[in-house]
Amino acid sequence: MFNVDLLVNALTTLLVTLDPPGLAPIFLSLTVGLSRQERFQVATRGSLIAFFILAAFAVFGNGILGLLGISIGAFRIAGGLLLFWISFEMIFEKRQERKEKTGENATTKDHIHNIAVFPLALPLIAGPGAISATILLAGSFPTAVERTQLLIVIALSMVSLFLALVIAERIDRFLGVTGRAILTRLLGVILAALAVQFVVDGVKSAMAV
């Protein structure tokens, strides 16, 4: 049974958290000196690794919480607060600065060989925010069929991100500094609203309202 509203909410949450347009210029800085084919390989590998990481948390995240004795309501509150902090960083352009610093450090230390794994897949794509959002969303997809739908949503999000990385140069030229700032702030406001909804749902669940 398809719940269109739930699927759209899940896709929106993941896309806003992943922020493909914001990641495009960082990807370019990470892959300076690489050919177009090499960039394509890095984008492909990084997106696939990030997908499997998020898929694992989508399938096993709730089980891990259960073993730790953490209720889904408590995690929704904590995850919602974390996502709200990320939205705060997006609105005030702190997240972009942090990601750029992570990319610069990794490029200096490890350069090209494992760049698809670190820092692209982890922590730039499948970072704390994306992982938290995935586990939160998994609580709304309890059955096997619904969990499969969530995996499809994650896959669609990764395809969108992959395409953004492939055309990163065009996106960077099209948006420019002003365009990226406006888009990041707009996505930050949307993520803040979604984060508040997670907290509200978590409070209701914890109090069994």
Side-chain angles (χ1 to χ4, degrees):
M1 188 73 180
F2 286 92
N3 186 329
V4 177
D5 290 339
L6 190 59
L7 292 173
V8 170
N9 178 271
L11 184 61
T12 302
T13 301
L14 285 174
L15 285 177
V16 171
T17 306
L18 292 170
D19 187 18
L23 193 57
I26 300 171
F27 175 73
L28 289 178
S29 68
L30 288 174
T31 55
V32 169
L34 297 185
S35 66
R36 183 170 296 180
Q37 183 178 1
E38 289 170 331
R39 279 180 175 163
F40 183 85
Q41 292 173 351
V42 171
T44 302
R45 188 180 179 200
S47 299
L48 283 173
I49 293 171
F51 167 75
F52 285 116
I53 291 171
L54 294 182
F57 277 100
V59 175
F60 302 111
N62 286 334
I64 295 172
L65 292 180
L67 288 174
L68 295 174
I70 301 172
S71 69
I72 189 63
F75 191 84
R76 278 177 178 162
I77 295 172
L81 292 174
L82 175 60
L83 291 179
F84 188 82
W85 175 252
I86 291 173
S87 70
F88 178 86
E89 288 186 324
M90 291 174 70
I91 293 170
F92 293 98
E93 290 194 323
K94 299 295 182 183
R95 192 185 190 205
Q96 193 79 357
E97 294 175 10
R98 175 164 52 80
K99 282 190 171 185
E100 287 172 356
K101 288 179 182 178
T102 302
E104 289 170 4
N105 293 338
T107 304
T108 302
K109 295 175 183 177
D110 217 2
H111 203 48
I112 300 303
H113 296 96
N114 296 314
I115 205 171
V117 180
F118 180 84
L120 185 58
L122 275 169
L124 294 181
I125 300 177
I131 290 172
S132 298
T134 300
I135 298 177
L136 287 171
L137 291 170
S140 301
F141 294 83
T143 68
V145 174
E146 290 174 330
R147 197 62 56 85
T148 302
Q149 293 173 13
L150 177 58
L151 292 177
I152 293 173
V153 168
I154 295 173
L156 289 174
S157 301
M158 282 302 146
V159 169
S160 300
L161 179 68
F162 169 74
L163 293 176
L165 297 182
V166 170
I167 61 171
E169 291 182 74
R170 295 180 184 178
I171 292 176
D172 194 45
R173 285 199 302 268
F174 176 76
L175 290 178
V177 176
T178 303
R180 286 200 305 271
I182 293 172
L183 183 60
T184 298
R185 284 178 168 84
L186 178 60
L187 292 176
V189 172
I190 295 173
L191 183 59
L194 290 168
V196 170
Q197 187 61 54
F198 277 130
V199 173
V200 171
D201 291 342
V203 171
K204 288 181 178 178
S205 176
M207 298 181 67
V209 175

